[in-house]
Amino acid sequence: HVQLVESGGGSVRAEGSLTLSCVGSEFTYNQQCMAWFRQAPGKAREGVSFIRGTPFYADSVRGRFFISQDNAKKTLYLRMNILKPEDTATYYCAACPEAASDLQLYQSFFTGAGFRFWGQGTQVTVS
């Protein structure tokens, strides 16, 4: 596989919860650093969260979303709580750029530039 595979999206009411999964292979899953992004219709892609040892969250989701990994299963998760209509988007996972410094990682996270092995995404709709 040359892509990551996201799942777990769906339609949910505001204040509800969902857990997204992202499954990779030995070629695509980077246990050192993985990330979640999202893109709403008509809007630019935005970084949601990444984990490289410790997690980092965009301000818009901090305290509501939680990223985790199961490296034995080559799976990345995103637990999303207290969902809001503005969380409606297609969610994607990706592997972090190779050999990125902390500064490079933070800078590229906000656009997704350099991240690898993008999947097809999973749709999350909050009403």
Side-chain angles (χ1 to χ4, degrees), residues 13 21 26 29 37 40 45 54 56 58-59 63 73 76 85 93 102 104 113-114 123 126:
R13 292 187 177 181
S21 299
E26 61 181 300
Y29 184 82
F37 295 84
R45 179 175 59 196
T54 56
F56 177 84
D59 288 345
K73 295 181 179 180
L76 180 73
C93 62
D102 286 348
Q104 289 170 331
Q123 176 68 37
V126 185

Side-chain angles (χ1 to χ4, degrees), residues 57-73:
Y57 300 96
D59 288 345
S60 59
V61 306
R62 187 173 292 117
R64 299 188 297 121
F65 289 14
F66 300 94
I67 191 171
S68 61
Q69 293 175 282
D70 184 336
N71 290 330
K73 295 181 179 180

Side-chain angles (χ1 to χ4, degrees), residues 11-127:
S11 296
V12 64
R13 292 187 177 181
E15 304 294 313
S17 298
L18 283 173
T19 298
L20 305 183
S21 299
C22 165
V23 180
S25 69
E26 61 181 300
F27 302 108
T28 59
Y29 184 82
N30 181 353
Q31 67 179 26
Q32 305 301 323
C33 185
M34 294 289 294
W36 285 101
F37 295 84
R38 67 186 181 186
Q39 187 166 20
K43 295 188 176 181
R45 179 175 59 196
E46 64 173 337
V48 174
S49 176
F50 71 79
I51 183 166
R52 185 160 78 172
T54 56
F56 177 84
Y57 300 96
D59 288 345
S60 59
V61 306
R62 187 173 292 117
R64 299 188 297 121
F65 289 14
F66 300 94
I67 191 171
S68 61
Q69 293 175 282
D70 184 336
N71 290 330
K73 295 181 179 180
K74 294 184 173 56
T75 302
L76 180 73
Y77 300 99
L78 185 68
R79 174 66 177 178
M80 306 186 295
N81 298 324
I82 318 175
L83 282 160
K84 304 176 181 180
E86 51 264 43
D87 294 319
T88 294
T90 301
Y91 285 71
Y92 302 87
C93 62
C96 299
E98 286 187 339
S101 67
D102 286 348
L103 178 59
Q104 289 170 331
L105 181 60
Y106 282 105
Q107 289 176 333
S108 61
F109 171 69
F110 292 102
T111 63
F115 283 77
R116 302 166 295 149
F117 309 124
W118 298 86
Q120 295 300 309
T122 186
Q123 176 68 37
V124 173
T125 303
V126 185
S127 60

